[in-house]
Amino acid sequence: MKLRNSVLFLMSIGLLSLMSCRRVPAELSLAGEWQFALDPEDIGVKQEWQNKELGETLCLPGSLQEQGKGEDVSLDTKWTGQIVDSSWYKAPEYAKYRQAGNIKVPFWLNPDKHYVGAAWYRKKVNVPSGWENRPIILDLERTHWETTLFLDGKKVGSQNSLQTPHRYLLNGLKAGEHTFTLRVDNRLYVDVGMNAHSVSDHTQSNWNGIIGEMKLSAKPSLYIESVQIFPDIKKKQAQVKIQLKGSAEAGASTVSLQAVTFDGKPVGNPVQSAVEPGKENEPVELVVDMGEEAGLWSEHTPNAYKMNVSVRSSGGTDKACYDFGLREFKANGTRFEVNGQPVFLRGTLECCIFPLTGYPAMQPDYWAKIYRTCKEYGLNHVRFHSWCPPEAAFHVADSMGIYLQVECGAWAEVGSGKPQDQWLKEESDRILKEYGNHPSFCMMVYGNEPAGADQVAYLSGLVDYWKSKDSRHVYSSAGGWPYVGNADYWNAPNPRIQAWGAGLRSIINREAPRTDYDFAGIIRQDMPTVSHEIGQWCVYPNFKEIEKYTGVLKAKNLEIFRETLAEKGMADMGEKFLYASGRLQTLCYKADIEAALRTPGFAGFQLLDLHDFPGQGTALVGVLDPFWDDKGYVTGKEYSTFCNGTVPLIRFPKMVWLNNEVLEVPLEIAHFGEKAMPGATIRLCISTMDDELLEQRSFTCDLPLGNCIPVGTARCDLSRFKEPVQLLVSAQVENTDIRNQWHIWVYPAEKKAIDKLPYITTRLDKTAQDKLNNGESVLLLTYGTVPPEKGGDIAVGFSSIFWNTAWTRGQAPHTLGVCCDAKHPALAAFPNEGVSDYQWWDLMSRCDAMILDDYPDGFRPIVHIVDDWFTNRKLGMLYEARVGKGKLLVCSADLQNDLASRPAAAQFRQSLLEYMMSGQFNPAQALEVKDLLYTK
């Protein structure tokens, strides 16, 4: 009997142990295989597909397009995105790319599959025992777009957030097998704008599916619905507002808080409070004292914390964790301040560009790469153009110290009473509730460049609404416009050196190069101004990049451009054009950014873009490719010399000098570092391009936080330079990595005498032909005489192409700078590095391009003008050839007019003449006179 009792006792202990080891799970992942069916005719609801088996399978989370589901791209594909240049549909040069089996569109990256409409997803799920009579929440982290949930064939409801999780509350779910059916519709639920990056094929693609975490969570009778954390940096406290759901029991329900570091170390003391029955739906407000040792959050000190929240009741414990930081981001006058310190925003756009997946990254690793690269290139800010990123993007930005501008997902007409007006307000509520605790979330607007006659009133009301709800962020109307007086800041399009419609009238194209201008007369004086989408400087395509597109989107647009370059006999020039245009692009960005840093009281800039924008006709505006990798012509180390928290600046009145002048230029510094730098020593050097030091001066001064801090004036007598020379002027803060540099050029005021000049003409007239036939040398200057069909109608300017010619309807300039062999003897007296720099401005500003497509395939000009990649013409500014018995040099830049006031043009002419009179003038390429008769 004793033995039997002992056995029963041991068996009961074992059973209890087994039961304790088999605790009821609180969450159940829904990731994995789902049944699936497309519903292009939208008949699924009528035919009650929620009660049917679906014919195919795929895996969620994921998009249907990345799993090969959808329709092949064709001429009839209904894209989500405006097509400004429709030439692909009718132009003969694109005919072969409109053929089945070779469909390639130039507008944007091309998806393997495309689908817009409803899709159905179905899965049988075993709900664990122990979940009965408990609130169960279905979480769908990121869907595109509207979801409708059916449970066991019965409709539960629909949700339409584009950028926050869809959450469904399920009550009374029994244990056992249940069928979950989701209808996901990626048509525009409301008109947020077909170009909005939240929905458009221009960038991420209009995908269909669920890409984030998918789970069921069983909640106790009292659980956490939301938590909002409001920091107080002066008291080192966090005010926490907890919204609960469910029912509380007297003496049995408590809320507990504990702040911890990201690696889990407690900060401050835990806080606990009872929840009284009947008041469980009222917010619980508690204050957590973080302690004096708690650090503030900023770009310099990204001290991010987590708030562990737990709610205990008789039904169990519910737990949640939220990022936050002790941070105050606010406007003060015309600047922003972070924790009372002035900050200058150095930002880039992120337009939802994810070529491998066609949808936003949901894991931290890729966001870490994005922000790490931004910091490497000197940036501290990211604007999410017309979309809001997922949780992972905020979390990583918190840990790395990046200031984010979040947008509600639109590029649309607003204020007209259309459905998007109400939807945007509701979406903003969801965004603030879901992501508002993150210290990196600093700024918010509705979206981009709105339309609508009543947009000002609507957006002004939206700003007031946001301010009344949440004081943790600053707010404005939109990216670009309109100005509204109650905004915290203005995201303005004007403070930049090039704009839509400006063309050759922009400062970088209309005025001789200098660095002594700023935007002081443009910015507002009643609030901070952040410049909108500066840059947009293009570069030639990087064809090596094509092989990187191994995912959903393919670079068939780049394939078109590569093929047309080869058809023009210049396949070997692609990399050279990339490098040359890339150096010009870098120079243009340097000019834009330095002008911003020179502007007193300026709040910051937002680049369009640090990396390429692959849509809107293919806008190759980044120094990085769409994968955030460099293209081989500028590193982060170089870029960050002119784009950083602290940057030396020189106000040059001009970049080209004569040797009878004295170089006299003021040096200043923009300093937005972590703290002031008292007694800093700044060294200014002038050296040759082979590092021979010519002049050096040192200045000692205090560097408070701010910009336009005067350092001293550099002076240098240029009479020592008897030969044309390119010089390097550099400034560095000693014992730091802070430095910057510029090129200037010094030319002799008195040119060398040339004993015997060649025959110089503007037309290949009979005299010129006779001289060539007699073995003489001829300099043909074609500026102003090149017919339109031979290049005379090509708009040549100094700067790079703005955005791209397809989407700007041919905005000038149409070219991407020069590309040449710097060591060619024709350029011996015109120092250069084979790419556009400021000494080329005068030449490019008064120049005709010469189309050389009809010349032999191997014919190369001495100086290429890099053409627009849409046309890929062989363009030249300078070439040479043997014609008959003679030698011909042809130049299409203006080398005749106003040379006394155009020192670079005068020196270029001098270089050509010295070359033609030397023994080195011996052209290897031969042409016939009939090939040359193209002047008017």
Side-chain angles (χ1 to χ4, degrees):
M1 191 72 177
K2 286 182 178 180
L3 179 61
R4 181 172 180 271
N5 289 340
S6 297
V7 169
L8 289 173
F9 175 75
L10 291 172
M11 288 177 63
S12 64
I13 292 295
L15 182 61
L16 289 171
S17 299
L18 183 63
M19 292 175 63
S20 67
C21 290
R22 296 178 59 192
R23 287 189 219 166
V24 177
E27 294 182 356
L28 181 64
S29 172
L30 299 185
E33 187 177 274
W34 286 63
Q35 292 182 7
F36 155 78
L38 294 178
D39 187 7
E41 298 177 2
D42 209 4
I43 57 175
V45 173
K46 184 177 181 180
Q47 294 183 359
E48 298 184 351
W49 285 13
Q50 66 270 24
N51 294 317
K52 298 180 179 180
E53 296 288 321
L54 304 179
E56 300 182 68
T57 61
L58 49 61
C59 289
L60 294 177
S63 74
L64 62 88
Q65 287 89 343
E66 71 179 323
Q67 297 174 74
K69 311 297 184 181
E71 301 161 350
D72 291 335
V73 174
S74 71
L75 291 173
D76 300 321
T77 296
K78 300 297 188 293
W79 300 105
T80 304
Q82 180 187 19
I83 298 174
V84 172
D85 178 9
S86 60
S87 60
W88 179 76
Y89 290 99
K90 54 192 177 185
E93 60 266 29
Y94 288 117
K96 64 181 177 180
Y97 302 116
R98 298 192 292 266
Q99 304 304 312
N102 193 44
I103 296 289
K104 297 180 181 181
V105 300
F107 320 133
W108 39 61
L109 299 175
N110 297 195
D112 291 326
K113 295 289 185 179
H114 189 272
Y115 181 76
V116 178
W120 293 69
Y121 305 86
R122 191 172 192 261
K123 188 178 183 70
K124 295 185 184 300
V125 179
N126 280 307
V127 173
S129 177
W131 282 26
E132 301 92 338
N133 301 316
R134 295 173 65 178
I136 296 174
I137 294 176
L138 169 63
D139 256 299
L140 306 173
E141 185 185 3
R142 195 84 168 188
T143 74
H144 203 75
W145 181 357
E146 182 191 30
T147 63
T148 302
L149 173 65
F150 299 88
L151 179 61
D152 298 326
K154 296 181 180 178
K155 182 178 177 179
V156 175
S158 295
Q159 294 197 21
N160 57 52
S161 176
L162 191 53
Q163 295 147 127
T164 62
H166 290 199
R167 294 191 178 99
Y168 291 90
L169 176 61
L170 311 174
N171 283 313
L173 204 58
K174 296 180 180 180
E177 186 176 86
H178 295 272
T179 300
F180 285 74
T181 305
L182 284 165
R183 178 183 181 272
V184 181
D185 193 339
N186 64 332
R187 289 173 290 190
L188 297 192
Y189 175 81
V190 296
D191 185 11
V192 295
M194 67 168 62
N195 295 328
H197 302 318
S198 56
V199 298
S200 179
D201 283 312
H202 281 293
T203 53
Q204 65 170 317
S205 79
N206 187 6
W207 52 276
N208 186 302
I210 302 118
I211 58 170
E213 189 175 36
M214 305 173 64
K215 64 181 181 180
L216 291 172
S217 302
K219 298 294 184 181
S221 55
L222 184 66
Y223 62 96
I224 302 162
E225 199 270 332
S226 68
V227 172
Q228 299 298 309
I229 305 168
F230 295 83
D232 185 328
I233 64 170
K234 292 178 181 175
K235 296 181 180 179
K236 296 283 187 79
Q237 292 177 341
Q239 182 186 18
V240 186
K241 297 181 180 180
I242 306 106
Q243 184 66 54
L244 303 176
K245 271 195 172 183
S247 57
E249 302 87 13
S253 300
T254 59
V255 175
S256 300
L257 304 176
Q258 174 66 67
V260 299
T261 61
F262 265 27
D263 57 2
K265 297 176 182 177
V267 178
N269 296 318
V271 175
Q272 184 172 299
S273 176
V275 181
E276 298 180 20
K279 295 186 177 182
E280 51 273 275
N281 291 323
E282 298 177 10
V284 178
E285 298 191 15
L286 300 173
V287 174
V288 175
D289 193 332
M290 301 285 290
E292 285 302 313
E293 298 301 314
L296 302 184
W297 185 93
S298 74
E299 64 180 292
H300 308 294
T301 57
N303 298 303
Y305 299 104
K306 290 182 175 292
M307 187 66 73
N308 289 329
V309 184
S310 63
V311 177
R312 180 174 296 177
S313 64
S314 60
T317 301
D318 190 30
K319 296 180 179 180
C321 185
Y322 302 86
D323 287 8
F324 78 103
L326 294 175
R327 187 271 290 153
E328 181 183 64
F329 190 101
K330 67 178 184 179
N332 185 2
T334 63
R335 283 243 165 86
F336 291 119
E337 289 182 349
V338 177
N339 307 326
Q341 299 277 62
V343 62
F344 190 93
L345 295 179
R346 306 178 304 279
T348 182
L349 272 61
E350 210 310 306
C351 298
C352 209
I353 299 165
F354 298 90
L356 294 182
T357 57
Y359 57 70
M362 301 302 293
Q363 300 301 321
D365 288 354
Y366 197 73
W367 289 105
K369 176 182 180 177
I370 291 174
Y371 297 142
R372 185 169 57 248
T373 305
C374 286
K375 293 174 83 76
E376 180 186 351
Y377 282 74
L379 304 181
N380 62 359
H381 169 50
V382 175
R383 173 199 168 199
F384 293 98
H385 179 305
S386 60
W387 75 293
C388 175
E391 172 70 24
F394 291 97
H395 174 75
V396 177
D398 294 343
S399 68
M400 296 183 70
I402 301 289
Y403 307 122
L404 305 182
Q405 176 171 307
V406 171
E407 303 186 7
C408 301
W411 185 353
E413 177 184 342
V414 296
S416 304
K418 294 182 178 180
Q420 59 261 34
D421 285 355
Q422 182 60 31
W423 182 87
L424 282 163
K425 185 177 181 181
E426 293 170 356
E427 186 78 343
S428 72
D429 284 341
R430 292 186 284 256
I431 288 171
L432 289 169
K433 179 180 178 181
E434 190 71 25
Y435 309 121
N437 294 324
H438 291 279
S440 58
F441 182 176
C442 298
M443 310 160 75
M444 189 167 84
V445 302
Y446 109 96
N448 189 61
E449 299 173 356
D454 295 318
Q455 60 180 270
V456 172
Y458 171 80
L459 293 169
S460 180
L462 206 53
V463 168
D464 276 341
Y465 175 71
W466 293 334
K467 285 184 173 183
S468 69
K469 279 186 66 98
D470 194 333
S471 61
R472 295 172 292 183
H473 323 287
V474 295
Y475 305 101
S476 191
S477 58
W481 59 75
Y483 168 77
V484 297
N486 62 332
D488 293 314
Y489 67 103
W490 189 37
N491 217 168
N494 294 329
R496 54 184 178 180
I497 65 174
Q498 177 66 293
W500 287 75
L504 300 179
R505 301 187 307 277
S506 61
I507 189 171
I508 195 169
N509 284 307
R510 76 171 185 266
E511 297 184 14
R514 57 192 177 93
T515 69
D516 58 355
Y517 57 89
D518 59 41
F519 306 129
I522 298 175
I523 67 173
R524 296 201 65 86
Q525 299 303 310
D526 58 348
M527 65 177 64
T529 301
V530 179
S531 56
H532 169 71
E533 298 182 357
I534 75 167
Q536 306 187 42
W537 302 115
C538 284
V539 66
Y540 196 78
N542 179 15
F543 298 131
K544 286 186 175 180
E545 179 187 312
I546 294 172
E547 64 189 27
K548 297 170 73 171
Y549 292 87
T550 58
V552 171
L553 301 174
K554 302 297 191 298
K556 294 184 180 180
N557 48 350
L558 300 189
E559 291 177 17
I560 293 174
F561 311 140
R562 180 176 62 182
E563 290 169 21
T564 58
L565 183 69
E567 289 167 3
K568 296 295 177 67
M570 295 189 292
D572 61 311
M573 295 301 296
E575 288 187 44
K576 295 176 182 178
F577 288 167
L578 167 66
Y579 181 81
S581 62
R583 293 308 297 171
L584 173 59
Q585 178 198 47
T586 303
L587 180 142
C588 292
Y589 275 112
K590 178 178 168 71
D592 246 327
I593 291 168
E594 288 186 352
L597 289 167
R598 289 192 299 266
T599 303
F602 201 24
F605 61 81
Q606 294 166 342
L607 298 172
L608 184 53
D609 191 329
L610 187 62
H611 70 328
D612 281 341
F613 183 100
Q616 289 191 9
T618 308
L620 305 173
V621 296
V623 298
L624 306 175
D625 67 22
F627 302 89
W628 294 91
D629 298 328
D630 82 68
K631 303 178 189 176
Y633 54 80
V634 62
T635 63
K637 183 177 181 180
E638 179 187 352
Y639 200 94
S640 62
T641 60
F642 58 82
C643 178
N644 218 320
T646 305
V647 178
L649 301 161
I650 292 182
R651 293 188 181 250
F652 290 98
K654 57 185 178 179
M655 310 304 287
V656 176
W657 302 74
L658 294 174
N659 65 352
N660 60 1
E661 297 179 296
V662 175
L663 176 71
E664 185 170 330
V665 289
L667 173 66
E668 64 186 58
I669 285 192
H671 176 51
F672 294 94
E674 183 178 357
K675 56 186 178 182
M677 298 175 65
T681 298
I682 298 93
R683 186 174 70 252
L684 187 141
C685 299
I686 302 175
S687 59
T688 64
M689 294 305 294
D690 55 3
D691 296 326
E692 179 188 350
L693 183 63
L694 303 171
E695 289 281 348
Q696 179 173 292
R697 288 200 62 187
S698 291
F699 306 91
T700 300
C701 63
D702 295 336
L703 300 180
L705 297 181
N707 66 339
C708 304
I709 304 165
V711 172
T713 299
R715 294 178 179 85
C716 179
D717 187 344
L718 302 178
S719 61
R720 75 180 75 179
F721 302 109
K722 307 305 180 185
E723 301 290 333
V725 63
Q726 177 176 321
L727 299 177
L728 183 70
V729 181
S730 59
Q732 181 171 8
V733 180
E734 288 191 351
N735 301 315
T736 73
D737 293 328
I738 299 165
R739 62 186 303 275
N740 200 0
Q741 63 182 39
W742 305 262
H743 292 156
I744 65 168
W745 294 263
V746 182
Y747 300 136
E750 297 293 329
K751 307 301 183 200
K752 291 179 181 179
I754 299 175
D755 293 335
K756 184 181 178 182
L757 292 173
Y759 180 68
I760 302 174
T761 180
T762 59
R763 289 173 176 81
L764 204 63
D765 53 19
K766 185 178 184 303
T767 302
Q769 294 182 47
D770 288 344
K771 288 185 177 293
L772 289 169
N773 288 331
N774 291 330
E776 297 184 42
S777 296
V778 174
L779 175 60
L780 176 61
L781 302 177
T782 64
Y783 177 65
T785 70
V786 180
E789 69 275 11
K790 293 297 183 178
D793 62 349
I794 296 174
V796 178
F798 172 72
S799 79
S800 179
I801 291 170
F802 177 82
W803 197 238
N804 65 72
T805 55
W807 242 246
T808 60
R809 295 184 171 90
Q811 177 171 317
H814 300 158
T815 56
L816 294 161
V818 302
C819 175
C820 64
D821 176 4
K823 299 187 184 305
H824 193 286
L827 307 176
F830 189 76
N832 74 97
E833 296 180 296
V835 301
S836 288
D837 209 333
Y838 284 129
Q839 86 275 41
W840 290 96
W841 178 89
D842 206 339
L843 299 162
M844 294 294 284
S845 296
R846 295 168 75 160
C847 178
D848 288 334
M850 296 181 289
I851 299 176
L852 308 179
D853 289 350
D854 294 335
Y855 285 26
D857 279 353
F859 188 92
R860 293 287 184 266
I862 298 171
V863 177
H864 287 267
I865 296 177
V866 183
D867 192 23
D868 186 349
W869 58 88
F870 289 105
T871 44
N872 269 329
R873 295 159 294 195
K874 185 191 295 183
L875 302 182
M877 173 199 286
L878 178 70
Y879 70 85
E880 63 182 354
R882 286 184 290 106
V883 179
K885 297 177 182 179
K887 296 178 286 186
L888 177 69
L889 188 66
V890 183
C891 182
S892 58
D894 181 3
L895 300 184
Q896 297 196 103
N897 301 300
D898 308 316
L899 295 182
S901 60
R902 300 170 57 219
Q907 187 60 42
F908 192 79
R909 177 187 172 106
Q910 177 71 15
S911 186
L912 298 187
L913 293 174
E914 290 181 14
Y915 169 61
M916 293 185 75
M917 293 301 100
S918 74
Q920 293 180 294
F921 183 36
N922 188 26
Q925 304 173 116
L927 295 173
E928 297 182 24
V929 170
K930 65 180 179 62
D931 298 325
L932 302 167
L933 295 176
Y934 57 78
T935 56
K936 296 176 186 174

